[in-house]
Amino acid sequence: MASNSLSISRLSRLAEEHPDALTAALCGFLVILGSLALHFGWLSLAVLILPVAYIIGGYSSAREGLTTLFQERELDVDLLMIVAALGAAGLGLWRHEYHLIVDGAVLILIFAISGALEGYAMQRTERSIRSLMSLTADTARVVMYGDEREVAIDQLAIGDRILVKPGEIIPTDAIILEGFSSLNQASITGESMPVEKTAGDEVYAGTINGFGALQLEVHKTPESSLIQRVIRLVQQAQTEAPPSQQFVEKFERSYARLIVIFGLLLAILPPFVLGWNWEDTIYRALIFLVVASPCALMASIMPALLSGIANGAKQGILFKSGAKLEIIGKVRAIAFDKTGTLTTGKPQVIQIVPAAGSTETEVLQLAAGVEVYSEHAIAIAIVQAAQQQQLQLPTATDVQAKVGQGIVGKVNNQIITIGKAEFVQATAELTQISQQLQAAGKTVVWVAAGDRWESSPVLRLLGIIAVADTLRPEAVSMVKRLTKLGVEHIIMLTGDNQQTAQHIAHQLGINEVYAGLLPEDKVQVIKKLQKQYQTVAMVGDGINDAPALAQASVGIAMGISGSDVALETADIVLMADRLEKLAKAIILGRRAQNVVKQNIVFALSCIILLLAANFLGNITMPLGVIGHEGSTVIVTLSGLRLLRN
């Protein structure tokens, strides 16, 4: 009794998870029984069993075909297969050649098996979504007034404090308040190595906490978390048909009409023109309906593109649609925003040049003591440089920021002035060095000291600090890799001045530079490039890049440092902010193009060969079905090759 219950539960689970496979299995079982009954001369039993096989195997296709016919006034492949199978059965009853009923049942069976295999292929490509969804926690442990309580994720609010213990999944995007740990971020960024995180760092929903307990503060709503955006975008990618698929779908409708017209002509004209008998004529016409149907052609594209999307997601490359996977493989020119894309977007202290009588340590220590009260990016870079050298910052008082000029503060009874040369009343000392640094694309901050507060105090120059936005470590190798891949034109766009832009471009090996651009200027540059090179990609990360990302043939955003607007606008997202993934995206796009072309050529070749065999070689219905559906299965499995790295 227990074993029966277990068997029923397994069948029930199979029906829920793989309904097409169960349908094909039942249909196959009945076709075998019907064939055996016919073989042993049990005609009545065969006539009872085989129609059931027709109904079980063909119900879904018949319903879809009739729905398309009556609601959209269009013919599709499903209906053609059903008509061919029923025609074979009718012809078998008419001629008392009951093996034709089996031929029709075999057609239904192989069509059902093909559908089950295509469904399996689609499930393979959807596993990336299910694996991401499995990483989203249902509840979070909220800490309030020293007490812990479990709260549903959708009830979390910005500002809530949550506790994540070792080995647990991070429930939502948050900032670490207390604790230190290493996190496995492979599900989000594709990075194989754990990443260490400490107070002040951001953590992402779906990543796995390592050895340390973490106190987190929610800083965005759970539905806005990075993993939820990934899930939504991948789902969107699976429902948006690429241009090639749209073309084939339109072609299928017209092609199906032509098949019906030619099928009718083939069923009527040969007896009058060629002297064929009616039975053979109708049989050949039915086989024509089977072998001429574009099933393999329809399966040539989407399984391949969806497999490519799944492969990309596994590597931390998020394609929002199959269309963009196709386009990225055709790109001839790529435009990069500079700041935050080719560079880190975070200024760093590059060099300290002390004046006579001062030391590098003194210059940095006094400057950081005052700049610690500023939120300017350059000030943050100076303070971080002092902290990295473990310098003890002096206490500054009476700190005053001068917008667009610099900052002043009192340290150890000295008035420390930091800013532009004219603000600190720079003398000729260090001017030549300053000019050389600026020519190299660096921002120069002057540091001076005075003895008293005056409208024009007497200042003594302490030194200069050179600050610059540094290149991403992988940027140079990425440019070389793109060149080797045959990307003919690499362009840099920036709002910075021409001098700084040219210096960065020279380091990267980029020859074409557009500097001093506003967001609308970047759009105009992209339009100009599209006129020159047709297919143009744009890579950016900021809000000001969004218009250009939208204008480009394919927009590519940095997934972690990128703004929400850039992420929503872009067509491809590099989840780990790793530029080397761009080359992999192009390679994957080209592989997808090649696989689709191979599949289309193979599908068309099979259709032509089967049509020739039907009229020249007199193939049977089962052979025509095997050839037709076999080619469909082959191109579907061929598309799954893109799941491999």
Side-chain angles (χ1 to χ4, degrees):
M1 195 71 167
S3 62
N4 288 339
S5 300
L6 188 59
S7 300
I8 292 172
S9 66
R10 285 177 177 172
L11 282 174
S12 176
R13 188 166 63 251
L14 177 64
E16 290 178 4
E17 296 177 356
H18 306 285
D20 293 338
L22 183 60
T23 297
L26 289 174
C27 180
F29 176 70
L30 292 173
V31 169
I32 292 172
L33 282 183
S35 301
L36 289 174
L38 195 62
H39 177 74
F40 289 110
W42 302 334
L43 181 60
S44 299
L45 182 59
V47 171
L48 286 174
I49 292 174
L50 290 174
V52 179
Y54 275 72
I55 293 171
I56 290 176
Y59 172 76
S60 178
S61 297
R63 184 183 60 185
E64 291 179 13
L66 291 172
T67 299
T68 302
L69 178 64
F70 290 116
Q71 292 186 359
E72 302 179 26
R73 299 289 190 270
E74 297 284 357
L75 290 168
D76 68 5
V77 174
D78 293 323
L79 193 57
L80 292 181
M81 292 297 100
I82 297 301
V83 169
L86 293 176
L91 187 62
L93 291 172
W94 180 18
R95 297 173 60 175
H96 301 291
E97 296 180 7
Y98 298 108
H99 67 87
L100 292 178
I101 303 177
V102 177
D103 291 352
V106 170
L107 169 58
I108 294 287
L109 171 61
I110 297 181
F111 199 59
I113 293 172
S114 175
L117 288 173
E118 288 181 44
Y120 171 73
M122 296 304 102
Q123 287 178 348
R124 286 287 304 271
T125 62
E126 290 170 358
R127 286 180 183 173
S128 59
I129 291 181
R130 292 201 301 271
S131 63
L132 286 174
M133 287 181 169
S134 68
L135 288 175
T136 55
D138 297 322
T139 61
R141 189 181 293 104
V142 174
V143 180
M144 187 176 294
Y145 306 115
D147 294 328
E148 298 178 12
R149 59 188 180 90
E150 294 287 330
V151 172
I153 294 297
D154 57 7
Q155 294 180 2
L156 289 175
I158 295 175
D160 282 350
R161 292 174 63 106
I162 56 180
L163 173 65
V164 180
K165 296 181 179 180
E168 293 183 342
I169 294 173
I170 303 296
T172 187
D173 289 9
I175 300 294
I176 298 178
L177 294 177
E178 299 176 16
F180 173 78
S181 186
S182 66
L183 275 72
N184 182 343
Q185 298 188 146
S187 60
I188 299 296
T189 65
E191 296 171 294
S192 58
M193 296 297 292
V195 178
E196 292 185 347
K197 299 277 187 175
T198 188
D201 291 336
E202 185 176 13
V203 294
Y204 305 105
T207 57
I208 303 173
N209 187 22
F211 54 78
L214 298 175
Q215 288 270 0
L216 311 177
E217 181 179 32
V218 178
H219 71 302
K220 62 176 67 171
T221 56
E223 61 269 18
S224 301
S225 68
L226 187 59
I227 194 168
Q228 290 298 333
R229 293 206 301 267
V230 171
I231 291 171
R232 287 196 297 271
L233 294 174
V234 175
Q235 288 173 330
Q236 173 189 332
Q238 293 194 311
T239 58
E240 184 178 341
S244 57
Q245 181 71 11
Q246 294 173 5
F247 170 78
V248 169
E249 287 176 355
K250 291 179 182 178
F251 170 76
E252 180 210 3
R253 302 296 169 86
S254 301
Y255 184 72
R257 294 193 199 100
L258 289 175
I259 290 175
V260 171
I261 293 170
F262 278 114
L264 289 173
L265 292 175
L266 288 171
I268 296 171
L269 294 181
F272 299 104
V273 178
L274 302 174
W276 293 8
N277 63 61
W278 283 103
E279 291 85 351
D280 288 340
T281 299
I282 293 173
Y283 189 58
R284 292 293 143 208
L286 292 174
I287 295 176
F288 169 80
L289 287 180
V290 173
V291 300
S293 295
C295 293
L297 193 60
M298 292 299 298
S300 297
I301 300 171
M302 284 309 292
L305 296 183
L306 291 178
S307 297
I309 290 171
N311 189 343
K314 185 170 59 177
Q315 298 187 62
I317 307 167
L318 176 60
F319 295 93
K320 292 188 182 180
S321 71
K324 302 309 176 182
L325 176 59
E326 281 189 319
I327 292 173
I328 191 65
K330 303 175 184 177
V331 162
R332 296 181 54 206
I334 301 180
F336 289 90
D337 172 60
K338 179 183 77 70
T339 306
T341 304
L342 293 171
T343 66
T344 61
K346 297 177 181 179
Q348 296 180 16
V349 172
I350 303 300
Q351 188 175 353
I352 302 171
V353 182
S358 301
T359 64
E360 290 186 20
T361 300
E362 180 187 8
V363 173
L364 181 58
Q365 197 169 27
L366 290 172
V370 177
E371 294 282 25
V372 74
Y373 295 97
S374 173
E375 295 181 355
H376 193 280
I378 292 177
I380 293 171
I382 291 173
V383 173
Q384 286 179 341
Q387 291 173 340
Q388 287 170 0
Q389 295 187 27
Q390 298 182 342
L391 300 180
Q392 185 172 355
L393 302 186
T395 301
T397 59
D398 299 327
V399 177
Q400 299 176 15
K402 306 293 183 179
V403 179
Q405 296 295 318
I407 191 170
V408 177
K410 188 174 183 180
V411 179
N412 299 330
N413 295 319
Q414 293 187 95
I415 307 304
I416 305 301
T417 305
I418 307 163
K420 296 181 178 179
E422 58 271 19
F423 182 60
V424 301
Q425 302 175 18
T427 61
E429 187 182 4
L430 301 182
T431 298
Q432 185 177 359
I433 295 176
S434 172
Q435 291 172 346
Q436 292 172 350
L437 290 170
Q438 288 175 326
K442 299 175 177 63
T443 300
V444 175
V445 178
W446 294 73
V447 184
D451 295 329
R452 61 189 182 278
W453 290 103
E454 292 179 2
S455 59
S456 299
V458 178
L459 298 176
R460 176 175 62 87
L461 182 63
L462 298 176
I464 57 177
I465 300 175
V467 179
D469 185 7
T470 56
L471 290 177
R472 286 183 178 272
E474 71 276 17
V476 175
S477 60
M478 179 272 303
V479 171
K480 292 179 180 178
R481 177 69 169 143
L482 292 179
T483 303
K484 287 182 179 179
L485 285 175
V487 178
E488 301 168 15
H489 308 280
I490 300 175
I491 305 100
M492 190 175 80
L493 313 181
T494 180
D496 277 351
N497 61 70
Q498 187 71 32
Q499 191 177 47
T500 301
Q502 288 289 357
H503 178 73
I504 295 292
H506 177 72
Q507 289 180 280
L508 291 166
I510 296 175
N511 298 321
E512 195 169 351
V513 179
Y514 294 85
L517 301 178
L518 296 172
E520 56 267 29
D521 299 327
K522 292 182 181 180
V523 174
Q524 294 306 316
V525 172
I526 294 296
K527 288 181 178 179
K528 174 187 172 183
L529 295 173
Q530 286 174 320
K531 288 181 181 178
Q532 289 179 283
Y533 311 126
Q534 288 76 53
T535 307
V536 177
M538 166 71 187
V539 187
D541 74 314
I543 293 174
N544 62 344
D545 297 324
L549 291 172
Q551 174 61 39
S553 309
V554 55
I556 303 165
M558 310 299 278
I560 294 178
S561 63
S563 67
D564 288 345
V565 175
L567 291 175
E568 292 297 329
T569 306
D571 305 302
I572 300 174
V573 179
L574 306 179
M575 297 307 300
D577 280 6
R578 292 169 59 184
L579 283 175
E580 66 267 25
K581 297 289 186 181
L582 180 56
K584 292 186 177 181
I586 293 173
I587 292 170
L588 194 56
R590 292 178 180 177
R591 283 180 60 200
Q593 280 185 308
N594 291 334
V595 170
V596 167
K597 288 176 183 177
Q598 292 166 9
N599 285 350
I600 290 174
V601 170
F602 178 78
L604 289 175
S605 300
C606 286
I607 290 174
I608 293 170
L609 289 173
L610 289 170
L611 286 173
N614 182 38
F615 293 106
L616 301 177
N618 292 328
I619 63 171
T620 62
M621 176 73 78
L623 287 178
V625 170
I626 291 171
H628 174 267
E629 296 301 329
S631 63
T632 304
V633 171
I634 288 172
V635 296
T636 301
L637 296 177
S638 173
L640 294 182
R641 288 183 291 161
L642 287 170
L643 288 171
R644 300 198 306 266
N645 292 337

